[in-house]
Amino acid sequence: MNNMHQENERKYIHTESTHLLRKTGYRKRKLATKLRKVVVMVSCIMQLIITSGIGYGLSVMYAELVIVFNAKRADAALIQSLNMGLSCSSGIIFTSLIDRLGPGKSIVIGGIVSSLGLFLSAFAHGLTLIILCTGVLSGVAMSINFLSAFMTTSFMFPNSASLFLIILTSGHSIGQFIVPLLYELFISQYSWSGAFILISVNVESWFIVDHMVSRGFTRESGSMLVSSLGIGSFIGRFLGGILQYAIKWPTVYHWVYLCTLTAGLHALIINLNEFWSLFVSCVMYGILFAVTSAQLPAIVFEASGHERYPRAMALINIACGLGDTLGPILGGFIKDIFGEYDVVFYIAAGGSLFISGTAIIISCIINYRKFRSESDILAFDVEYKTLK
């Protein structure tokens, strides 16, 4: 009788588990092989190359559209700000969709819709259609690919997610290096509208091209500086992985000194006028910014844990998306009023110092909690030995 009861209970648990797995869209799978993990990692990096690169490269298109449509910079900046902001912040809307369909199908849907938005922008006769198609439609669609890449990586490497999430962010850097050059090539060969068709199959990155044009340099020179940020960014992602692997302390500790150095470069770049000194400074800035931003997914994972990571990362992306949305708009607005970008760069320097100060406070809280935890354990040991 007892055996029959246990057998019925086992069948019930099995039935309920199967129903739950089907409901959530997950099925029992074999353990991933090393080859499969490599393929998945490369695919996720490719998603970030495309998603980040397209939004980042719009800084080149921004300078061109201001001239073509004789538009205010604040209006033209809406295209990049909405695209980059929504690609980060709107991903939380699609977490249930990604859970149900899986990352693969979700990425296919996001890629098709994003390409459609970019393609339609080529037929615009003003900024409004470009803002709606490239800024809103493509930005929202890209958020599916963006979040899917982070979710997949955290699930594929649960035991070393912090390290592989930092490696994943190398896709940002590769996209920042390659895509601005493609924009420049496509604009020079096929005009801005042709560039949108071909493309459809951070403060320096937003304004450096227009800043260079304003100071008498060519748009090509500005495009080279944007790509130099990508070169530095790739080096920075690599260094971020080394720091995570070699130094075993909470990741947020690194932000104390990295953000301070970044603030210094924000202020330095705006005061340089010679091309090669700007080039070197942009490479250095790309390195520092990449090391810092590469550690954000790891900080979120360490704070939230594996189970809560997808939602936590989606919430962090909302915050990043708000910054990406407001940054270009405010920068263009300031340029329209003051005729230069100096104020923008100094504000960015102040923001970096604020983050550094916040990191100091968080580090103190971590150390305090660690001290309290060790004190509690020591007190328990003393009490236990006394009772014994």
Side-chain angles (χ1 to χ4, degrees):
M1 190 72 178
N2 187 41
N3 291 337
M4 184 180 295
H5 177 73
Q6 290 179 346
E7 179 65 20
N8 290 335
E9 185 178 1
R10 186 188 65 79
K11 289 180 178 180
Y12 174 78
I13 294 173
H14 175 74
T15 303
E16 289 299 308
S17 299
T18 303
H19 174 71
L20 180 62
L21 289 171
R22 288 175 178 173
K23 184 178 179 181
T24 56
Y26 290 111
R27 292 178 293 176
K28 189 175 181 180
R29 298 178 183 274
K30 297 180 180 178
L31 291 176
T33 63
K34 290 184 178 180
L35 178 60
R36 184 183 176 190
K37 289 183 177 181
V38 170
V39 171
V40 169
M41 191 69 204
V42 171
S43 299
C44 290
I45 290 174
M46 284 298 300
Q47 293 306 313
L48 261 65
I49 290 175
I50 296 170
T51 302
S52 300
I54 288 177
Y56 186 88
L58 285 172
S59 58
V60 181
M61 187 70 74
Y62 163 77
E64 180 70 7
L65 293 179
V66 167
I67 297 172
V68 170
F69 293 110
N70 191 27
K72 293 182 179 179
R73 287 173 172 82
D75 296 336
L78 273 172
I79 301 169
Q80 186 179 21
S81 66
L82 287 172
N83 183 277
M84 295 184 69
L86 291 173
S87 67
C88 285
S89 63
S90 59
I92 195 171
I93 302 173
F94 303 105
T95 51
S96 297
L97 173 69
I98 299 171
D99 283 341
R100 183 173 295 275
L101 298 181
K105 294 179 181 178
S106 301
I107 287 173
V108 171
I109 295 172
I112 292 174
V113 176
S114 176
S115 297
L116 178 63
L118 292 167
F119 183 81
L120 291 175
S121 297
F123 304 97
H125 297 288
L127 288 181
T128 302
L129 183 60
I130 302 176
I131 291 171
L132 292 175
C133 291
T134 295
V136 178
L137 183 60
S138 289
V140 170
M142 286 177 182
S143 71
I144 300 175
N145 301 24
F146 189 81
L147 185 58
S148 294
F150 284 97
M151 290 175 64
T152 303
T153 301
S154 67
F155 292 149
M156 186 62 68
F157 305 95
N159 296 325
S160 51
S162 294
L163 175 60
F164 283 98
L165 285 168
I166 289 178
I167 295 173
L168 171 64
T169 60
S170 64
H172 288 297
S173 308
I174 300 172
Q176 290 168 2
F177 171 65
I178 295 176
V179 178
L181 295 178
L182 292 178
Y183 269 109
E184 178 58 42
L185 175 63
F186 295 157
I187 290 173
S188 62
Q189 296 295 322
Y190 305 105
S191 78
W192 66 270
S193 58
F196 271 122
I197 293 176
L198 293 172
I199 288 296
S200 68
V201 281
N202 321 343
V203 172
E204 276 73 6
S205 62
W206 290 331
F207 304 117
I208 197 68
V209 178
D210 193 49
H211 172 66
M212 293 293 287
V213 172
S214 301
R215 290 201 169 183
F217 292 91
T218 63
R219 192 190 65 234
E220 290 80 3
S221 299
S223 300
M224 285 185 64
L225 287 187
V226 172
S227 291
S228 73
L229 290 169
I231 295 172
S233 183
F234 183 76
I235 298 171
R237 308 289 178 180
F238 180 74
L239 291 177
I242 293 177
L243 285 176
Q244 183 68 24
Y245 180 78
I247 303 177
K248 304 299 182 182
W249 62 26
T251 308
V252 72
Y253 287 9
H254 295 292
W255 278 22
V256 174
Y257 62 89
L258 288 172
C259 291
T260 302
L261 293 173
T262 301
L265 277 175
H266 274 305
L268 176 64
I269 288 176
I270 200 65
N271 290 294
L272 297 176
N273 296 299
E274 198 271 325
F275 176 79
W276 288 110
S277 60
L278 279 165
F279 185 90
V280 173
S281 297
C282 285
V283 172
M284 293 301 299
Y285 172 80
I287 292 173
L288 287 174
F289 181 80
V291 174
T292 306
S293 60
Q295 293 170 344
L296 180 59
I299 292 173
V300 176
F301 185 83
E302 291 171 7
S304 63
H306 182 268
E307 293 297 327
R308 293 182 295 174
Y309 176 74
R311 266 63 179 181
M313 193 63 206
L315 290 173
I316 290 298
N317 285 339
I318 290 177
C320 294
L322 288 174
D324 288 340
T325 301
L326 296 176
I329 297 173
L330 293 175
F333 184 71
I334 290 172
K335 170 66 175 178
D336 289 334
I337 293 177
F338 297 103
E340 57 185 20
Y341 286 111
D342 296 39
V343 176
V344 178
F345 283 79
Y346 288 128
I347 291 174
S352 296
L353 289 175
F354 174 78
I355 296 173
S356 179
T358 305
I360 292 174
I361 295 173
I362 294 173
S363 300
C364 292
I365 294 173
I366 291 174
N367 284 325
Y368 175 73
R369 289 180 175 178
K370 183 179 179 181
F371 173 77
R372 285 290 301 273
S373 178
E374 292 175 350
S375 298
D376 291 342
I377 293 173
L378 181 60
F380 176 80
D381 289 340
V382 171
E383 183 178 356
Y384 176 76
K385 290 177 181 178
T386 302
L387 292 174
K388 187 176 179 181

